[in-house]
Amino acid sequence: MAPWRIRATMDEIDVAHRYVGHPMIFSVRLHHGGQFTKFPGRKYIKGKQNYVDLLDIDTFAIHDIDEMMEELGHIDSDETLLYYHFLRPFGNLDFGLFALGSDQDVHHLGTFVANHKLIDVYIEHGKTNLHTYSMSPNLSKVKIVEIKEPPACSKQLFLEWNDSPIEHESVPDLTEVKNDSHLDKEPSLVDHIEFEMNVENEDDYDGSGHNNGSGNDEFDDDSESEDSDFFIDEDNLIHDVDVDMKDLHMNIDKDVEWVGGSSESNVPEDTQQGDLEVINTEVLLSGSSSDEANDGKRRKTIRAIQRAYENDAALVSETFYIFQTFSSSKDFKTQVKLHSIRTRREIQLEKNDKNRVRFVCKGTIPNLATNEEEKCPWVIYCSKWKRDIDWMVKTYTKEHRCLQTRKVKACHYKFLSEHIVQVIETNPKIPIRALREQLQREYQMDISHMKTFREKQQALKHVQGDYASQYRLLRDYVLEVQARNPDTTVKFDVESEANPTVETRTFKRIYVCIGALKRGFAVGRRDFLGLDGAFVKGPYPGQVLSVVALDGNNGIYPLAYVVVESETLNSWTWFLSNLGDGLGRAHCDALTNNLCEAFNSKIEDGRDAPIINCIEFIREYIMKKIVKVDKEIQKVVGPLTPTATTILDKIKSKAEQYVATFCGAGKYQVAGPWQDQCIVDVGQQSCTCKRWELTGITRKHGVAAIWDMGRNDKDVGIPESFVHPCYWLSSWKEMYSFKVSPINGRSMWEKSAIPTTLLPPKHRVPIGRPKKKRTISIVEKEDFVRGNTTSRAHRSVTCTKCNNVSHNARTCKGQRPIIGGGGGQSQVKGKGKGKATT
């Protein structure tokens, strides 16, 4: 007695729960007594269904189904002909049916049993109109015969199975099967299928490898310090915080187009193999377009076929498949090029017109024995029907038999630049060599140094924006900065234009002074400014001129900056006249311009960027610096800034050696070692050494006088109270209480109402290359001493033989002597073979 049982009904939800822990046990839902409708949208009609449970895949065989059919009354003699098919889980009747007629077919079914406990089995009676038996893994008895027809008739194909001809389903018609090697593996629904649209002059390909149709498609330098004049001043060391500017991102190029990551992620490497089959869709797509009823029917049929393919779960991981649609030929070409790069095959565009695109693989299959080469069979064809909007794949042979290559034409610098944008955003200064090695490892291709350089420049252009186009947006950027930062002053200077009606103006200069910096500088009470310039690199070279102040802690405090064509008297005059003259007296003894040199080093990364990026880099640096210094201020305890406290502590230690003598009227005579004696007026906070007035910090003479006043019962306070307010902690805190406000992105900028458009500045080539070393003065040249001797550096050498300069007698080449010069003998080469004369 068979262990299985046939039921009329079954709780399908309970099947999976009942078979938990039994991976080999499953149930079958039998569909019998009916027939299949035509493709597409196939259904099983006029049939019944029963359930069979407690089946074990290890013992299950075809004769078990025979016994089920006999029990259901469908087998009454030995001549009864039945065809069994099973439906793959989550498949559809158009493409999910597989043959169930051999042990191999049963093994194929068993691959689904572990995860799917209810399998649908369909029965055909008498004959089959399906081609599932041609897709079966067991095809030892199946052969395909092509029957020739008159030219006016279409080709027909018949299956012979067990020597009994069975007509293949009418739509679609198979017309060619080149190879049966795919019969040894589980078939894929889209392997080796080619659709040819029956349109007039559809393809000019002559089959010989030639096309009669349309044409084909298709230094990093280290940072220079030529403008650095930094000197060491131990008494006025610059104390500044580090501001991280690596995450600056200012993409304002509105014309940037990207290839998204989704395209990349949806292009897996093709590793399966297959052969070419042809399905004749003449029945679907041919005929007169004047018959609107037939035309609509054909379109409806195509859409049904397409939906069936798209709903098939096996096609999710496929790169291309039949009936796949694209919105344009450009999208299709992009996907093919990505496939070429991923598989490392040289794929060439063979046909390209407004309705058809065909790609073929140009790789070859070498035969080492005969030294002959065979062409790779990979081909894909996509076209658009005259009345369709989308492009559809109608021919696809997915097998690549050729060898992979390390040189693919599609892997050009533009493609690579689109895929290294994130790398460039993270590390814009990545060396060319490192970037090249990274790309070669990722794509496994040979990438030259120049290609890597070009792709990096292209990616930088996408990230930072175009140099020329940013000048058109400069006024919009200025309006946004002024709207977010009140009391901000920005001024332009353009080249003079003879014709005032011209709609463009050529950019010359721009001046920026942010309102928060004005107020912070005013409350800082230290009116000391440093002026300096730094070179601007790029296609429009110039200079960034800056005015930098010092805060109470000897930290740099940028006040204003300009971008000008060059550092000239005219540009400096224009800059300082815009800065204004509302400054009282400086309290600083700094004799160097280290504060400006420090500021120039901070903005070095932004000086070679486009104009808006350059200005925005400086603004964002200042914005971050103010916030970071404000955090440091919150940690300080005491009446003075940390730098002022350190200086005053040193002064106090020296003041211990001085003696103050009161002279009346608030004046003291203060004497110390080395005959150092000065007059101090505590009321006026002055000293004859002038250091108190110059720096604003009480010096050793003043501290000694203040201590003497305290010893004589005078309430004068501590020496810290005699320090200028610019060094007070409260002043320092108030100075950094004015914050630079952030701004919106380019899409939210207000449009400038000025009718003219800014153009890039005129190209000016600087005179000579900027010097990398400081120019040595005449005094240094004459008196430069090394040890106990005077150096001969920078002095010309005179030859004692020929009396010429720039070389000595040892390196003399026998040049013509200068008459009357030199004290030695000069030899001149004579003519011919004569000897030299004295």
Side-chain angles (χ1 to χ4, degrees):
M1 181 177 179
W4 43 262
R5 294 174 298 173
I6 299 179
R7 300 174 181 268
T9 61
M10 179 181 291
D11 187 357
E12 300 179 8
I13 301 178
D14 189 51
V15 170
H17 297 285
R18 290 193 291 112
Y19 293 157
V20 173
H22 303 281
M24 299 301 167
I25 305 300
F26 69 104
S27 298
V28 165
R29 179 165 50 198
L30 286 173
H31 302 264
H32 56 93
Q35 61 183 4
F36 288 107
T37 60
K38 291 185 177 181
F39 175 92
R42 180 180 291 124
K43 297 180 181 179
Y44 191 80
I45 60 175
K46 300 180 181 179
K48 302 177 182 179
Q49 68 179 27
N50 289 89
Y51 295 87
V52 182
D53 59 357
L54 299 177
L55 294 172
D56 190 342
I57 193 61
D58 289 337
T59 60
F60 181 74
I62 299 299
H63 66 80
D64 290 326
I65 306 181
D66 294 336
E67 293 180 9
M68 298 175 194
M69 294 296 102
E70 185 175 4
E71 184 174 337
L72 292 172
H74 292 296
I75 298 180
D76 53 5
S77 66
D78 294 338
E79 297 182 356
T80 302
L81 191 58
L82 299 176
Y83 298 93
Y84 306 147
H85 317 272
F86 75 91
L87 180 65
R88 185 185 60 203
F90 302 115
N92 55 61
L93 294 180
D94 282 327
F95 301 103
L97 290 174
F98 290 90
L100 190 58
S102 65
D103 291 339
Q104 275 190 300
D105 296 339
V106 173
H107 178 72
H108 183 201
L109 181 146
T111 60
F112 303 102
V113 167
N115 298 320
H116 306 280
K117 297 301 182 181
L118 183 61
I119 305 297
D120 286 278
V121 175
Y122 292 83
I123 314 298
E124 281 188 293
H125 303 264
K127 70 173 185 177
T128 178
N129 291 324
L130 306 183
H131 62 281
T132 58
Y133 278 84
S134 66
M135 297 172 58
S136 169
N138 183 18
L139 280 181
S140 58
K141 300 180 180 179
V142 178
K143 60 180 180 179
I144 299 176
V145 179
E146 183 177 3
I147 299 178
K148 300 293 184 179
E149 294 286 347
C153 301
S154 62
K155 296 180 180 179
Q156 295 182 352
L157 206 66
F158 292 87
L159 276 173
E160 288 189 2
W161 183 66
N162 287 334
D163 296 330
S164 112
I166 303 171
E167 185 176 357
H168 195 274
E169 63 175 321
S170 59
V171 181
D173 290 335
L174 290 173
T175 60
E176 181 180 1
V177 176
K178 290 185 177 179
N179 195 328
D180 290 335
S181 62
H182 69 289
L183 302 179
D184 296 331
K185 65 181 183 70
E186 178 180 344
S188 174
L189 298 183
V190 294
D191 281 357
H192 343 302
I193 302 178
E194 173 174 345
F195 278 84
E196 294 290 351
M197 303 295 290
N198 189 12
V199 184
E200 184 178 359
N201 296 328
E202 174 70 13
D203 197 349
D204 295 324
Y205 184 66
D206 57 9
S208 63
H210 301 286
N211 177 34
N212 299 327
S214 303
N216 294 337
D217 190 17
E218 279 299 315
F219 307 0
D220 278 353
D221 297 327
D222 294 331
S223 299
E224 296 182 339
S225 57
E226 67 274 8
D227 53 354
S228 177
D229 297 314
F230 198 92
F231 297 93
I232 298 178
D233 185 0
E234 296 182 355
D235 293 334
N236 293 276
L237 296 178
I238 299 298
H239 298 275
D240 197 29
V241 296
D242 293 330
V243 178
D244 185 10
M245 297 297 294
K246 293 182 180 180
D247 57 349
L248 174 71
H249 180 71
M250 184 63 182
N251 185 2
I252 55 85
D253 192 351
K254 61 182 179 181
D255 297 325
V256 173
E257 294 183 0
W258 309 102
V259 176
S262 59
S263 299
E264 183 175 343
S265 62
N266 291 334
V267 188
E269 181 176 356
D270 289 336
T271 57
Q272 301 180 2
Q273 295 183 350
D275 299 308
L276 178 65
E277 294 182 358
V278 178
I279 293 183
N280 187 0
T281 58
E282 181 179 5
V283 180
L284 300 178
L285 302 176
S286 63
S288 174
S289 60
S290 60
D291 190 348
E292 297 181 357
N294 293 335
D295 184 66
K297 184 177 181 180
R298 286 192 295 270
R299 290 178 180 272
K300 183 177 180 180
T301 304
I302 293 177
R303 286 195 295 268
I305 297 174
Q306 182 179 346
R307 285 194 300 270
Y309 270 98
E310 291 175 348
N311 294 332
D312 198 299
L315 303 180
V316 175
S317 61
E318 296 291 338
T319 305
F320 302 104
Y321 54 88
I322 299 299
F323 293 119
Q324 185 179 8
T325 58
F326 297 90
S327 59
S328 64
S329 62
K330 181 179 179 181
D331 293 341
F332 171 66
K333 294 175 185 176
T334 300
Q335 291 296 328
V336 174
K337 291 178 180 178
L338 289 173
H339 169 78
S340 173
I341 295 170
R342 292 299 180 193
T343 59
R344 289 191 287 134
R345 260 81 178 205
E346 187 58 53
I347 297 177
Q348 182 176 341
L349 183 63
E350 192 175 63
K351 178 179 287 296
N352 180 34
D353 57 32
K354 63 180 181 179
N355 292 322
R356 300 165 296 177
V357 177
R358 179 191 288 269
F359 283 94
V360 296
C361 180
K362 301 303 292 183
T364 57
I365 310 166
N367 190 328
L368 300 180
T370 61
N371 292 328
E372 297 180 353
E373 293 183 345
E374 181 183 351
K375 293 183 179 180
C376 180
W378 190 95
V379 63
I380 189 168
Y381 173 78
C382 186
S383 64
K384 180 173 71 70
W385 201 30
K386 294 181 179 179
R387 299 180 183 178
D388 287 340
I389 299 178
D390 294 334
W391 290 66
M392 183 183 297
V393 176
K394 298 162 187 173
T395 300
Y396 181 42
T397 304
K398 66 184 300 182
E399 177 188 11
H400 274 293
R401 296 183 181 176
C402 60
L403 300 179
Q404 292 180 323
T405 179
R406 291 183 62 86
K407 293 183 179 180
V408 177
K409 186 177 180 181
C411 189
H412 46 71
Y413 81 96
K414 291 184 178 179
F415 167 81
L416 294 173
S417 67
E418 295 169 349
H419 290 75
I420 62 171
V421 171
Q422 292 184 351
V423 178
I424 298 302
E425 286 181 344
T426 305
N427 184 14
K429 290 190 174 182
I430 181 173
I432 298 295
R433 181 177 180 181
L435 183 60
R436 179 188 178 190
E437 293 176 353
Q438 177 180 339
L439 291 174
Q440 288 186 148
R441 286 194 302 268
E442 180 178 355
Y443 293 98
Q444 300 181 12
M445 294 186 188
D446 294 331
I447 301 176
S448 65
H449 181 88
M450 180 54 65
K451 180 184 288 188
T452 310
F453 172 79
R454 295 176 67 188
E455 72 199 29
K456 180 182 178 182
Q457 296 301 314
Q458 187 74 6
L460 282 172
K461 182 178 179 181
H462 287 324
V463 173
Q464 298 180 347
D466 184 63
Y467 281 85
S469 63
Q470 288 204 5
Y471 287 94
R472 298 193 296 268
L473 303 171
L474 187 55
R475 287 195 177 112
D476 299 341
Y477 167 77
V478 168
L479 290 177
E480 176 65 20
V481 173
Q482 289 179 320
R484 304 300 169 187
N485 296 272
D487 199 25
T488 296
T489 303
V490 180
K491 294 184 179 180
F492 287 97
D493 189 14
V494 297
E495 299 287 352
S496 59
E497 179 61 50
N499 184 6
T501 61
V502 176
E503 296 182 354
T504 59
R505 295 291 186 271
T506 303
F507 174 85
K508 187 176 182 181
R509 302 164 179 165
I510 183 173
Y511 164 85
V512 180
C513 184
I514 300 177
L517 302 181
K518 294 180 185 178
R519 297 188 292 272
F521 176 73
V523 300
R525 304 180 183 182
R526 198 176 188 189
D527 300 335
F528 177 81
L529 299 177
L531 311 178
D532 199 9
F535 289 100
V536 173
K537 306 173 184 178
Y540 304 105
Q543 290 223 345
V544 175
L545 307 182
S546 58
V547 173
V548 183
L550 283 177
D551 60 22
N553 197 46
N554 273 10
I556 63 174
Y557 191 83
L559 180 58
Y561 46 92
V562 295
V563 178
V564 296
E565 69 283 3
S566 59
E567 189 176 7
T568 62
L569 177 62
N570 182 268
S571 60
W572 272 114
T573 303
W574 183 78
F575 181 19
L576 298 179
S577 62
N578 289 324
L579 183 62
D581 57 351
L583 306 179
R585 181 174 177 176
H587 293 282
C588 183
D589 59 346
L591 300 178
T592 64
N593 204 21
N594 288 350
L595 67 166
C596 287
E597 297 297 333
F599 175 71
N600 290 338
S601 66
K602 301 295 184 182
I603 65 172
E604 183 177 3
D605 292 339
R607 281 156 37 192
D608 58 348
I611 182 65
I612 296 181
N613 292 57
C614 178
I615 300 174
E616 176 63 12
F617 187 95
I618 299 174
R619 187 200 67 83
E620 188 164 327
Y621 163 74
I622 297 173
M623 178 179 67
K624 292 182 177 181
K625 172 184 168 57
I626 291 176
V627 174
K628 193 164 187 178
V629 173
D630 188 46
K631 293 180 180 179
E632 296 296 327
I633 293 175
Q634 307 303 324
K635 304 175 184 178
V636 179
V637 178
L640 303 179
T641 64
T643 300
T645 301
T646 302
I647 294 175
L648 189 57
D649 289 342
K650 293 181 180 179
I651 292 173
K652 289 179 181 179
S653 64
K654 294 180 181 179
E656 296 285 352
Q657 305 177 20
Y658 286 79
V659 177
T661 304
F662 181 62
C663 302
K667 294 183 179 181
Y668 286 83
Q669 176 181 297
V670 182
W674 304 100
Q675 297 182 356
D676 184 10
Q677 182 172 311
C678 295
I679 301 173
V680 177
D681 189 339
V682 179
Q684 297 296 325
Q685 296 188 1
S686 63
C687 180
T688 53
C689 70
K690 301 298 183 183
R691 299 292 300 276
W692 195 346
E693 300 98 309
L694 181 63
T695 63
I697 298 179
T698 310
R699 311 311 295 184
K700 52 192 174 183
H701 309 101
V703 171
I706 295 170
W707 283 344
D708 184 77
M709 293 175 66
R711 285 192 294 266
N712 290 285
D713 298 331
K714 294 183 179 180
D715 189 12
V716 294
I718 58 178
E720 284 79 1
S721 61
F722 289 87
V723 176
H724 192 273
C726 69
Y727 297 104
W728 293 356
L729 180 60
S730 58
S731 299
W732 191 34
K733 185 179 299 184
E734 186 179 5
M735 187 178 191
Y736 283 91
S737 64
F738 300 98
K739 304 297 191 295
V740 177
S741 300
I743 64 173
N744 293 318
R746 182 189 62 82
S747 60
M748 301 180 66
W749 292 353
E750 179 184 355
K751 299 299 181 181
S752 174
I754 300 177
T756 58
T757 302
L758 280 179
L759 298 179
K762 297 179 180 179
H763 184 73
R764 292 180 174 86
V765 180
I767 301 175
R769 181 174 177 82
K771 296 181 180 180
K772 296 183 179 180
K773 296 183 179 180
R774 181 174 60 87
T775 303
I776 301 177
S777 65
I778 299 297
V779 177
E780 290 176 305
K781 289 182 180 180
E782 298 295 336
D783 300 332
F784 188 73
V785 178
R786 292 179 180 174
N788 297 326
T789 60
T790 303
S791 174
R792 300 179 62 184
H794 310 293
R795 295 185 180 182
S796 60
V797 180
T798 303
C799 179
T800 58
K801 289 184 178 181
C802 64
N803 205 32
N804 290 324
V805 296
S806 73
H807 68 276
N808 55 23
R810 183 174 58 84
T811 59
C812 183
K813 303 295 184 181
Q815 291 91 335
R816 186 179 297 277
I818 298 178
I819 299 177
Q825 294 179 342
S826 299
Q827 295 182 351
V828 181
K829 293 183 180 179
K831 296 182 180 180
K833 298 182 180 180
K835 297 182 179 180
T837 58
T838 303

